[in-house]
Amino acid sequence: LPELLSRVRNLTARHGRGNSHGPSSQKDVARTFDFGKVHVDFDKFEILADGQLYNPTTIELELLRLFIENEGKVLSRGEILEKVWGYDSDVSTRTIDNFVLRLRKIIEENPSEPRHIVSVRGTGYRFIAVPDDSNAPDDDP
């Protein structure tokens, strides 16, 4: 129930109440976002994950913001490259994978089995704020 309440608060903050200014822009994006054991403060450039404070780079934070803004949607590496690094960038898709790995090390309980930033084979990544535990491995034989 606490995760559901957090999700509702995040969605309310992200979409605003009575906001009629048309499509969202960065000004409309929530300044903070909570999911799992993670609190992101975009204004302070801070991520508090499982009690530990991190100061991500600008690119790391912009990448996380893109994932959060597109929660549940599969983002191709091309979309990520364009929206975070820009069209004129000489960055390869492998660079994106490295930045995702760095973010996973911060926000995932087990980076080798990510639950929030998941890979979509051959396409890109999907961000899930509240993973569906019904698909989690069962410890009982």
Side-chain angles (χ1 to χ4, degrees), residues 121-141:
R121 189 178 199 116
T123 303
Y125 298 96
R126 175 187 300 130
F127 174 75
I128 303 167
V130 182
D132 182 1
D133 288 330
S134 66
N135 295 328
D138 194 356
D139 290 306
D140 296 334

Side-chain angles (χ1 to χ4, degrees), residues 4-136:
L4 179 60
L5 292 173
S6 174
R7 185 172 170 89
V8 169
R9 277 193 303 271
N10 288 330
L11 287 170
T12 302
R14 199 172 343 150
H15 296 291
R17 292 187 184 129
N19 181 354
S20 59
H21 299 311
S24 67
S25 66
Q26 282 203 333
K27 289 183 271 183
D28 296 331
V29 174
R31 293 181 168 173
T32 63
F33 190 84
D34 297 296
F35 61 96
K37 296 180 180 179
V38 179
H39 173 78
V40 183
D41 189 320
F42 291 103
D43 288 343
K44 293 182 180 178
F45 270 69
E46 292 177 347
I47 299 173
L48 183 64
D50 203 17
Q52 185 161 350
L53 186 64
Y54 297 90
N55 297 103
T57 66
T58 301
I59 294 291
E60 289 168 337
L61 202 61
E62 287 304 311
L63 180 58
L64 185 56
R65 180 189 304 269
L66 179 67
F67 283 133
I68 289 169
E69 288 175 348
N70 292 280
E71 181 182 355
K73 178 182 175 193
V74 176
L75 295 172
S76 71
R77 286 174 179 82
E79 284 179 275
I80 295 168
L81 185 61
E82 177 186 331
K83 292 180 180 177
V84 176
W85 280 270
Y87 255 136
D88 300 333
S89 177
D90 288 332
V91 174
S92 74
T93 56
R94 185 69 192 134
T95 301
I96 295 167
D97 297 338
N98 287 329
F99 271 88
V100 167
L101 181 62
R102 287 163 51 175
L103 276 180
R104 283 177 172 164
K105 287 179 181 179
I106 294 171
I107 67 168
E108 299 284 358
E109 279 188 49
N110 182 355
S112 63
E113 295 179 19
R115 299 183 66 220
H116 295 290
I117 301 175
V118 295
S119 298
V120 178
R121 189 178 199 116
T123 303
Y125 298 96
R126 175 187 300 130
F127 174 75
I128 303 167
V130 182
D132 182 1
D133 288 330
S134 66
N135 295 328

